[in-house]
Amino acid sequence: MRIDRLDKYFNPEELGRLLQNFVSYLGASVGIFDESGNLRFVDFMPPYCEVISSRVPERCEADRRERFEKAKRRKKPFLHTCFAGKLNFVIPLKFYSGKDEFFIGVAGG
């Protein structure tokens, strides 16, 4: 699997808004990260995460990086429980062109 640019294939904002339609009834937030792990779209941060992140931002960032690296290795979406007990959905974003597979980012919330 090769790594390629997210915005070469998808508009991160449009992708984020589309995913919002699927998770909005759960009260979940959506984040889209590019191929390097940089946040490209977020609709909101849940209040629980705001509190935790304000107290231990380095732990939140380490946990997010762990999810990102795991998504690069996985072939399918998965659920992840962060160090603070929040359940996150993680979707590896990939693009297929013939026999080539490109990792282009991660969606989750």
Side-chain angles (χ1 to χ4, degrees):
M1 179 170 49
R2 294 186 290 179
I3 296 176
D4 209 347
R5 292 183 53 86
L6 171 69
D7 53 13
K8 181 177 175 180
Y9 303 99
F10 298 107
N11 177 307
E13 291 78 21
E14 290 176 4
L15 183 58
R17 300 274 180 232
L18 179 65
L19 285 172
Q20 278 180 316
N21 291 331
F22 291 102
V23 299
S24 62
Y25 72 95
L26 297 172
S29 64
V30 172
I32 305 291
F33 298 86
D34 68 14
E35 70 285 351
S36 300
N38 301 310
L39 184 63
R40 296 291 304 276
F41 171 88
V42 66
D43 50 357
F44 69 93
M45 183 181 283
Y48 179 74
C49 292
E50 284 182 3
V51 171
I52 299 299
S53 180
S54 70
R55 294 180 181 167
V56 286
E58 66 285 347
R59 296 229 19 223
C60 292
E61 179 59 22
D63 195 83
R64 187 190 66 75
R65 280 278 167 201
E66 177 187 330
R67 290 191 309 269
F68 184 83
E69 292 302 320
K70 190 175 180 180
K72 287 195 320 190
R73 295 187 307 268
R74 293 254 177 139
K75 300 279 186 197
K76 297 180 182 178
F78 60 94
L79 295 175
H80 172 85
T81 303
C82 79
F83 76 94
K86 180 180 179 278
L87 185 64
N88 296 276
F89 67 91
V90 182
I91 304 169
L93 299 173
K94 295 183 281 185
F95 182 80
Y96 297 93
S97 177
K99 293 183 180 186
D100 292 328
E101 177 184 352
F102 299 93
F103 174 83
I104 58 173
V106 172

